[in-house]
Amino acid sequence: MTNDTNTLNGALRELGETMAANLTTQGVASTWDEGLTTLAGKILDITPGPGPTPSFDGISLTGNKNILSAADSEYCVLSAQLTDSGSAAAVSGETVTFTVYKSSDDSVVTTLTDDTNSSGLATVSYYGNGTGDIYIKSSANSILSDPYSIEDCFKYDSASSNKTSDYSVPTGLSMSFSTDHYVISASTTQGKQIQLCSASGDFEVSALINTSNRNMGLRIGTSDPDKNSVALYGVSSGTGLGYTVNNNFNTNRTSSTISNNTWYKYTLKKENGVYTGIIETLQGTVFGTWTQSLNDWNVAYLTSAWNVSMQIKEIKVKAL
């Protein structure tokens, strides 16, 4: 212990002498112990610098919705959490960019930004505008998250709650809500339809439909669909597309028919004036597909062909 004390005292005296010599060159005569006192004062005046900056090597992107209805001004809250595989330290004040891409061609729809909070979390809201299928990636300092996918629909109604007031139901049809679906009934032999929305460009309308005698479906047409439109339907004499041009009705269908009192997914697409109708089971087995080239119509409907009652839910209209 004595040797260690002597060594420490010698080192301190040497530092004091060095500091005293420096002071003397500046015109301040000092002894070694005065030099050591001055050195100690300078050390105490040093302002501590910032600690090590927390790093991150990953971003976790989550959202609270996967389907949006632009007609109902719905939005998805997106949250990006910066992560560090080697430390649990939060990274605050880091700018995170959320880039929204259209799934069909990977084009950029929009970008959103937010700075991480004290928990290392950045949050933005994406509002639906009918873009169609999209995906989002978040990024910061070249670190990129996995994509988060959303169906951004013009119109979406899961029928999980009663929204019958959102629809204009014409005379001859009634629409009611029952637990998890709508019931639409026709009291007339004439074709009737409920307009869903008007959508420009290429788009599709789809729904889950269960009907007792198969005479219901989806329609895309003009503001007067009785004159110009194409409809996807299932009937007792055949299932397929029916289309009307200038009051002339035509059919493109097969003799096969779907089952009564069974849920099917109906999808009617419009792409560059070509209309494709698809009916499939809920398990994804395609029951039938029909295609017809027609004019460029842009209004989506639920439609009734004859006296029927149908159950319907998961109504979507979205861009392609």
Side-chain angles (χ1 to χ4, degrees):
M1 179 64 72
T2 302
N3 289 337
D4 291 342
T5 301
N6 291 338
T7 300
L8 177 60
N9 288 337
L12 290 174
R13 184 181 181 99
E14 185 177 347
L15 286 172
E17 290 175 346
T18 300
M19 189 64 185
N22 290 337
L23 291 171
T24 299
T25 60
Q26 299 176 42
V28 181
S30 303
T31 62
W32 74 269
D33 54 338
E34 291 173 334
L36 190 61
T37 299
T38 303
L39 176 61
K42 286 186 175 294
I43 292 174
L44 293 175
D45 285 341
I46 295 175
T47 301
T53 302
S55 61
F56 63 95
D57 53 16
I59 302 179
S60 175
L61 177 62
T62 57
N64 68 337
K65 289 184 180 180
N66 295 107
I67 306 178
L68 300 176
S69 174
D72 298 312
S73 300
E74 292 181 345
Y75 62 93
C76 174
V77 178
L78 298 162
S79 300
Q81 176 71 61
L82 301 191
T83 58
D84 181 7
S85 60
S87 170
V91 183
S92 62
E94 193 73 44
T95 299
V96 177
T97 300
F98 299 76
T99 306
V100 181
Y101 300 89
K102 189 170 176 61
S103 298
S104 60
D105 58 11
D106 297 319
S107 60
V108 175
V109 176
T110 188
T111 57
L112 305 165
T113 60
D114 187 43
D115 292 341
T116 55
N117 60 17
S118 59
S119 300
L121 190 68
T123 303
V124 297
S125 294
Y126 173 79
Y127 282 81
N129 57 18
T131 300
D133 291 344
I134 60 173
Y135 64 93
I136 301 98
K137 289 185 177 182
S138 59
S139 61
N141 288 346
S142 301
I143 304 297
L144 196 64
S145 73
D146 290 334
Y148 183 84
S149 298
I150 296 175
E151 290 183 81
D152 182 3
C153 303
F154 292 114
K155 174 72 176 178
Y156 171 64
D157 186 353
S158 65
S160 58
S161 61
N162 188 356
K163 294 184 178 180
T164 53
S165 60
D166 291 349
Y167 299 89
S168 177
V169 181
T171 302
L173 284 183
S174 65
M175 184 177 187
S176 60
F177 177 72
S178 177
T179 308
D180 65 348
H181 63 272
Y182 297 109
V183 178
I184 299 177
S185 299
S187 59
T188 175
T189 57
Q190 297 178 351
K192 293 292 181 179
Q193 42 273 323
I194 299 173
Q195 182 173 329
L196 297 175
C197 68
S198 178
S200 60
D202 295 338
F203 68 95
E204 71 174 40
V205 54
S206 64
L208 302 187
I209 295 177
N210 179 5
T211 180
S212 59
N213 58 1
R214 302 183 292 266
N215 293 320
M216 293 292 284
L218 307 174
R219 186 186 294 265
I220 296 175
T222 63
S223 57
D224 186 355
D226 289 335
K227 294 183 177 179
N228 296 289
S229 67
V230 58
L232 173 65
Y233 59 91
V235 298
S236 57
S237 60
T239 302
L241 293 176
Y243 54 99
T244 302
V245 180
N246 297 326
N247 286 327
N248 294 315
F249 179 73
N250 302 274
T251 60
N252 178 358
R253 67 188 186 191
T254 63
S255 59
S256 58
T257 59
I258 61 177
S259 301
N260 279 338
N261 300 310
T262 303
W263 285 99
Y264 290 92
K265 180 179 180 181
Y266 284 50
T267 303
L268 181 57
K269 300 180 180 181
K270 184 199 80 170
E271 297 178 277
N272 298 317
V274 177
Y275 295 82
T276 301
I278 304 169
I279 298 178
E280 58 189 303
T281 67
L282 300 191
Q283 292 72 39
T285 301
V286 175
F287 175 82
T289 301
W290 302 268
T291 301
Q292 187 70 44
S293 296
L294 292 165
N295 296 327
D296 190 16
W297 299 315
N298 63 357
V299 186
Y301 300 90
L302 303 176
T303 187
S304 163
W306 289 281
N307 287 335
V308 296
S309 177
M310 86 167 171
Q311 299 175 1
I312 187 167
K313 58 185 176 181
E314 290 296 319
I315 305 165
K316 296 180 188 177
V317 185
K318 66 181 183 180
L320 295 175

